[in-house]
Amino acid sequence: MKPRTHWLRALTVVLVGALTIAVGSACGLESGGALPLPVKPGSITEHEDLKGAKLTVGSKDFTEQVILGYILEFTVAAAGADVRDLTNIQGSNSARDAMLAGQVDLNIEYTGTGWINYLGNEKPIPDVAKQFEAVRDEDLAENDVVWVNPAPLDNTYALAVNQSNLRKLGVTKISQYADLVKQNPAAATTCLETEFRSRQDGFPGMAAAYGFDPGAAQTQILQTGIIYQATANGNCAFGEVFTTDGRIKALNLSILDDDKSFFPHYNAALTMRKETADAYPSLAVVTKPVLDALTSEEMVELNRQVDVDGREPADVARDWLVQKGFVTT
């Protein structure tokens, strides 16, 4: 049965949202407040329906999502909106519930997450365009959530291994990883984040697709950012990663081939409640060129600047928009 929003989840997200505002962003920028940096119009100009519009932008709590949240905030601010920052909401379901409960007006979401995690479908659609269309149509019909402007950016899950374990274990694809779990689970120690360990488009679904018992795997739950270094150090033989994370290249990790094409496409797109889309039709217009410019390669570099170079996500987001000419400072 597909999940439905109800009053208890709405109450939960009110409490989560209040906590998020209280504790602030992990990057040191106050969440639930004003825009962290000023921007002025560039190629994005003011639109009449957005002038003075009070809009809250949300994001999840990992690096890429926080960067995307700021990119979205600066974009709509340059178009005239009065933006409230609610980036860094912990967990996909909390971020989604914040939108459904009306705490967040718009955010950037991923098609695979929408299709599997929110809408309850079990199998992804291999074609990128058809996957977007299916999510767009079903989420609008069932939840009054509008999806527009899918980006080339496709940030999917993967398993990574360091070069030493790659040579020692000879595992280059997930089917070989599955064999290793079945034959020698002690050699297949795997670092995972909590959400991936429980999501149907995560570890349990991958185990079912590749024919191994997820309970037999020796897994360790870590925070997302710690997994990369733990995998590089060999604390775990394998680690769950996001394919657009800049630390993969920086730490010289190798990605296992998803040889059964289990993981869905996770193309980024603008999502908002239908009442928001109807009230502010220019949102789809001003965000389209920005999302069109967001490729996986661009996102790897933006993520690298935060996670490897230690820059603030808001600075990285604004500099990218300025470089592309979308906004000025």
Side-chain angles (χ1 to χ4, degrees), residues 9 12-26 31-32 57-63 65-66 86-99 103-104 107 109 117-118 193-195 199 221-224:
R9 294 182 73 186
T12 300
V13 78
V14 169
L15 298 175
V16 169
L19 178 60
T20 302
I21 293 169
V23 300
S25 165
S31 189
V57 174
S59 84
K60 304 172 198 179
D61 59 345
F62 57 91
T63 297
Q65 269 284 296
V66 176
L86 197 57
T87 51
N88 205 44
I89 300 172
Q90 185 174 6
S92 294
N93 289 335
S94 295
R96 166 75 167 192
D97 288 346
M99 172 173 287
Q103 289 183 293
V104 166
N107 64 14
E109 188 52 90
N117 203 42
Y118 301 153
E193 57 163 344
T194 302
E195 191 169 302
R199 281 173 56 148
I221 303 300
L222 296 176
Q223 292 181 347
T224 306

Side-chain angles (χ1 to χ4, degrees), residues 182-259:
K182 288 184 281 189
Q183 296 164 11
N184 186 9
T189 56
T190 309
C191 285
L192 309 172
E193 57 163 344
T194 302
E195 191 169 302
F196 183 78
R197 187 65 178 83
S198 61
R199 281 173 56 148
Q200 187 55 38
D201 56 341
F203 198 71
M206 185 188 78
Y210 281 93
F212 68 92
D213 178 6
Q218 295 195 11
T219 59
Q220 182 179 354
I221 303 300
L222 296 176
Q223 292 181 347
T224 306
I226 298 174
I227 292 174
Y228 294 84
Q229 192 64 56
T231 305
N233 293 345
N235 302 110
C236 309
F238 304 92
E240 165 221 341
V241 297
F242 297 119
T243 54
T244 57
D245 198 296
R247 288 167 291 191
I248 294 172
K249 183 177 180 180
L251 295 171
N252 197 25
L253 301 177
S254 289
I255 297 295
L256 301 190
D257 178 31
D258 181 13
D259 49 318

